[in-house]
C-alpha cells in the first residue's frame, strides 16, 4: 500500500487516553496507516505531578513529555478542535497563531479530556483559578510567592489576607494542592526576617462533602485529614462557598474569609466539544460500547474523560474520570481502531481499580495499592515509585529534582510569566494561556 493510499486515523487530544491511543495504534499498524494527533500543545502533561510544579519542587518541563519525541511515527498537528463533521468525516481546528485547518479521517478517536467544572456561585468565574493545566500551576506558584513577599513588606491587616489561601474542593487535586501549598508557604516564610512576629500562612480546604477525599476509601481520607491537620491546614467539610469577591470568599456558615487566593478544584467536566459533536451523551460524556466504539458510527471511537464507558466490573455504572482508566482505555481504543483496519482482534474494556495514591508532600502520602492501606514514608515511597513507573518519559529528571529538593532549599521566586487574566477559570482549554486579543475557546 502506497503512503498516499493509507487510511488516516485522527486522534483528538493528547492526554492520558489520547497519548496511549496514538502510541498503541502506531505500534499495531506500523506503516499501514497514517496516525495524526491533534492537540493544542506539543507535549503530554503528566497531570498528577502538577501540584509539585506549583510548589516549586519540579520544574515545568519535568511533567511534560514531547509528543514528537515520544511518538516518532505519529504526525502531530498543533490546534484545538472546533467542530467534527461526521457526514464529511472532517475535524476542523484552530491553530496556535489563529489559523484554521481541517483533517479528514477514516477513523476518529475522541480523547479531548476534561476542563474545570463550574458552579453558579457569584464571583467565582472572575476571582477563582482552576488547576487543570501547566499555565494555571505556574500562575499559582507565582501568585502564592508574590502574596508571601508582599505580606512581609506590609504590616497592615491586608497582610493577613495575603497569607490566607482558600482551596475549594477536597478531592485528589484540592487535597494535594493544599498539602503541598502549606509546605511551600511555610518554607518561604522561614527565609524572611522577623518571621517570629508574623502569623503562619493559613490554608483553608473547603468541601461540601462530609470528609476530604470523599470518593476514596475512608482510611485514605483519615490519613490525609490527619496529615493536613498536623500541618495546620484548616479543613472545612460540609461547607460551601456562596460568593467570591476581590476581598475574599463568603462561606455558607456565615463566615467571610479575607483572602487574595481562591483555587477552584471542585471537579471536572468533559470538554464542551463532546456535546457539540451531535451524538448521544451521558452527563456530557459520549456514549460508547464496551469496545469504546460509538453506536451507529463504526468509524468513531472515544475514550478517557470524553467517553461514558460502561464499567463491566460494576454493571449499570460508567467508569470514573481518572487517569488510571483513561490510560488503559486509550490502549484498548488503539487496539480496536487497529482491529477495525484489519490488524489484530477487538477487545472489551474491563479494569478493576488497582488502588489509589494521594501525594501529601514531603515524605507523606496516603495510598492503598491493591487494597493495602499505607501511610507515612512508606506510602510516600510507593506513590513516587508509581509515578516514575507511570510516566512515559523524564523519569531521571523527575527523580533528580526530588533528590535536589530533599537536600537543597527550595527556590522561591516569581517569574511573572503567567498573569491572572491569561488563565481564566471558564476556559475550555486550560492547557493554553490566553493573551489579550488572541483567539479564545469557551
Amino acid at each position: 500500500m502506497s503512503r498516499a493510499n493509507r487510511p488516516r486515523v485522527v486522534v483528538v487530544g493528547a492526554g492520558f487516553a489520547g497519548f496511549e491511543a496514538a502510541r498503541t495504534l502506531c505500534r499495531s499498524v506500523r506503516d499501514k496507516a497514517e496516525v495524526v494527533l491533534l492537540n493544542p500543545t506539543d507535549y503530554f502533561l503528566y497531570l498528577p505531578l502538577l501540584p509539585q510544579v506549583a510548589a516549586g519542587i519540579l520544574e515545568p518541563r519535568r511533567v511534560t513529555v514531547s509528543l514528537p519525541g515520544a511518538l516518532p511515527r505519529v504526525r502531530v498537528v498543533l490546534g484545538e478542535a472546533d467542530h467534527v463533521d461526521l457526514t464529511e468525516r472532517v475535524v476542523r481546528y484552530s491553530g496556535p497563531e489563529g489559523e484554521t485547518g481541517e483533517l479528514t479521517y477514516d477513523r476518529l478517536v475522541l480523547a479531548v479530556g476534561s476542563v474545570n467544572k463550574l458552579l453558579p456561585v457569584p464571583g467565582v468565574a472572575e476571582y477563582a483559578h482552576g488547576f487543570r493545566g501547566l499555565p494555571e500551576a505556574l500562575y499559582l506558584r507565582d501568585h502564592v510567592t508574590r502574596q508571601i513577599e508582599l505580606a512581609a513588606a506590609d504590616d497592615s491587616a491586608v497582610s493577613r489576607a495575603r497569607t490566607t489561601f482558600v482551596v475549594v474542593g477536597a478531592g485528589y487535586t484540592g487535597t494535594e494542592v493544599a498539602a503541598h501549598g502549606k509546605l511551600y508557604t511555610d518554607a518561604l516564610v522561614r527565609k524572611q526576617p522577623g518571621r517570629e512576629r508574623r502569623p503562619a500562612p493559613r490554608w483553608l480546604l473547603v468541601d461540601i462533602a462530609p470528609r476530604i477525599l470523599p470518593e476514596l476509601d475512608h482510611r485514605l481520607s483519615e490519613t490525609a485529614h490527619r496529615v493536613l491537620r498536623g500541618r495546620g491546614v484548616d479543613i472545612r467539610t460540609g461547607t460551601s462557598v456562596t460568593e467570591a469577591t476581590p476581598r475574599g470568599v463568603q462561606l455558607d456558615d456565615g463566615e467571610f474569609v479575607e483572602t487574595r487566593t481562591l483555587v477552584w478544584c471542585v471537579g471536572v467536566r468533559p470538554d464542551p466539544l463532546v456535546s457539540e459533536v451531535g451524538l448521544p451523551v451521558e452527563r456530557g460524556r459520549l456514549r460508547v460500547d464496551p469496545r469504546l466504539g460509538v453506536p451507529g458510527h463504526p468509524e468513531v471511537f472515544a475514550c478517557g474523560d470524553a467517553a461514558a464507558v460502561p464499567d463491566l466490573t460494576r454493571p449499570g455504572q460508567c467508569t470514573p474520570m481518572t487517569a488510571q482508566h483513561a490510560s488503559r482505555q486509550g490502549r484498548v481504543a488503539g487496539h480496536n481502531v487497529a482491529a477495525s483496519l484489519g490488524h489484530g482482534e477487538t477487545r472489551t474494556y474491563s479494569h478493576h481499580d488497582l488502588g489509589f495514591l494521594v501525594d501529601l508532600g514531603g515524605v507523606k502520602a496516603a495510598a492503598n495499592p491493591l487494597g493495602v492501606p499505607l501511610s507515612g514514608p512508606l506510602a510516600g515511597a510507593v506513590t513516587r515509585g508509581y509515578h516514575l513507573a507511570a510516566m512515559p518519559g523524564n523519569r531521571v529528571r523527575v527523580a533528580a529534582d526530588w533528590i535536589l529538593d530533599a537536600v537543597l532549599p527550595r527556590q522561591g521566586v516569581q517569574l511573572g510569566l503567567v498573569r491572572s487574566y491569561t488563565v481564566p477559570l471558564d476556559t475550555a482549554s486550560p492547557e493554553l494561556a490566553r493573551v489579550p486579543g488572541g483567539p479564545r475557546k469557551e
Side-chain angles (χ1 to χ4, degrees), residues 85-286:
D85 189 325
L86 298 173
T87 302
E88 298 295 329
R89 296 193 178 187
V90 170
V91 177
R92 297 185 176 88
Y93 66 91
S94 300
E97 297 182 347
E99 73 279 14
T100 59
E102 61 180 39
L103 294 167
T104 59
Y105 63 84
D106 297 287
R107 298 291 186 273
L108 174 65
V109 180
L110 288 172
V112 288
S114 54
V115 298
N116 294 308
K117 181 180 180 180
L118 301 178
L119 296 177
V121 178
V124 163
E126 292 80 11
Y127 303 112
H129 292 281
F131 202 81
R132 290 293 299 167
L134 199 53
E136 292 171 321
L138 293 175
Y139 165 74
L140 183 61
R141 185 169 72 178
D142 271 7
H143 173 79
V144 168
T145 306
R146 183 165 57 253
Q147 298 310 305
I148 295 294
E149 292 172 348
L150 290 174
D154 188 353
D155 291 326
S156 71
V158 176
S159 64
R160 186 56 177 155
R162 292 192 183 280
T163 56
T164 298
F165 307 92
V166 179
V167 180
V168 182
Y172 278 107
T173 303
T175 299
E176 292 189 345
V177 167
H180 281 280
K182 186 62 167 69
L183 291 179
Y184 181 55
T185 53
D186 285 350
L188 292 177
V189 169
R190 280 196 297 270
K191 298 178 181 179
Q192 296 175 344
R195 58 186 180 276
E196 65 279 353
R197 300 190 302 271
R198 301 180 182 278
R202 181 189 181 197
W203 283 78
L204 275 73
L205 181 58
V206 179
D207 200 298
I208 192 64
R211 60 185 175 93
I212 66 173
L213 300 173
E215 69 274 23
L216 301 188
D217 183 274
H218 68 91
R219 290 171 294 186
L220 298 184
S221 176
E222 291 169 359
T223 297
H225 190 280
R226 183 172 61 254
V227 171
L228 266 62
R229 281 287 194 190
R231 289 180 186 161
V233 176
D234 187 354
I235 300 174
R236 303 288 187 91
T237 53
T239 305
S240 63
V241 171
T242 59
E243 184 181 9
T245 74
R247 293 180 51 250
V249 295
Q250 182 70 50
L251 304 182
D252 64 354
D253 61 5
E255 181 181 358
F256 183 81
V257 179
E258 292 196 13
T259 180
R260 299 297 182 268
T261 308
L262 178 58
V263 188
W264 194 253
C265 302
V266 298
V268 296
R269 59 191 171 100
D271 190 296
L273 176 71
V274 176
S275 298
E276 298 168 2
V277 172
L279 294 172
V281 297
E282 184 173 335
R283 295 184 178 180
R285 304 168 72 186
L286 202 61

Side-chain angles (χ1 to χ4, degrees), residues 9 45 69 75 95 115 140 153-155 161 197 210 219 225 254 257 263 272 291 300 310 313 333 340 349 418 421 439:
V9 181
L45 174 65
R75 181 160 71 94
V115 298
L140 183 61
D154 188 353
D155 291 326
R197 300 190 302 271
R219 290 171 294 186
H225 190 280
V257 179
V263 188
R291 291 179 173 81
V300 181
T313 68
S340 74
Y349 180 74
V418 182
Y421 55 81

